[in-house]
Amino acid sequence: MSVAQTLKVTTPSDTEIAMIREFDAPRRLVWRTLVEPPLIQRWMGQMPGWSWGECSVDLRVGGKYRYVWNGPDGIVMGMGGVYQEISPPDRVVATEEWDDPWFPGGSVVSYTLVEKAGRTTLTLGIKYATKDARDGVLESPAVSGVSSGFDLLAEMLKTLA
């Protein structure tokens, strides 16, 4: 029986957030959930009343990704970016821009995976343009959204082989 995991949130600098979670799965499986659209759609951005409109990934340096969710009352929320670094199955780095920016400036997002004894620690690092942008995100529901998504990811990983 595995122990329930929680999201650890730190602020490595005035413009950065790090969110760390351990998963009871090998790194190769966790990697797949970060880069394969059918798997991304099963855990990321799962909010009541919302559905996926688009999930595309061109996984190469300079390639783009695009995520769009359709919400209640015709609301559409979209974001995307460009891959800057790809090192399977250890690390991926990309820019992140929201169609309707809710914080000033864009951000750079990194996922780093470290496996030990069949368990994988995922570190989601986000670097913002300013301290105010970082602080605004910390005060928003974004962190609880990531935590909920990672809970779904942990459950989904139990079904992958």
Side-chain angles (χ1 to χ4, degrees), residues 20-50:
I20 303 160
R21 169 83 185 252
E22 187 175 297
F23 295 96
D24 190 15
R27 179 176 52 195
R28 67 178 173 76
L29 291 182
V30 179
W31 173 262
R32 288 182 53 210
T33 69
L34 300 176
V35 301
E36 294 180 17
L39 298 179
I40 293 167
Q41 290 175 304
R42 289 177 55 189
W43 69 270
M44 185 185 287
Q46 295 294 322
M47 302 165 283
W50 290 76

Side-chain angles (χ1 to χ4, degrees), residues 55-110:
C55 182
S56 61
V57 171
D58 179 8
L59 192 63
R60 61 184 174 82
V61 172
K64 295 180 181 181
Y65 70 95
R66 176 97 176 124
Y67 305 148
V68 178
W69 296 269
N70 298 313
D73 301 321
I75 297 171
V76 176
M77 181 174 66
M79 53 92 69
V82 176
Y83 291 107
Q84 298 181 327
E85 177 186 337
I86 300 169
S87 301
D90 303 307
R91 184 169 161 83
V92 62
V93 179
T95 60
E96 180 180 89
E97 298 281 340
W98 291 87
D99 294 357
D100 187 13
W102 56 281
F103 57 84
S107 58
V108 175
V109 176
S110 64

Side-chain angles (χ1 to χ4, degrees), residues 117-136:
R119 296 181 63 83
T120 301
T121 300
L122 184 157
T123 301
L124 167 57
I126 311 168
K127 183 166 180 58
Y128 297 92
T130 66
K131 181 182 185 310
D132 287 343
R134 184 212 59 186
D135 291 348

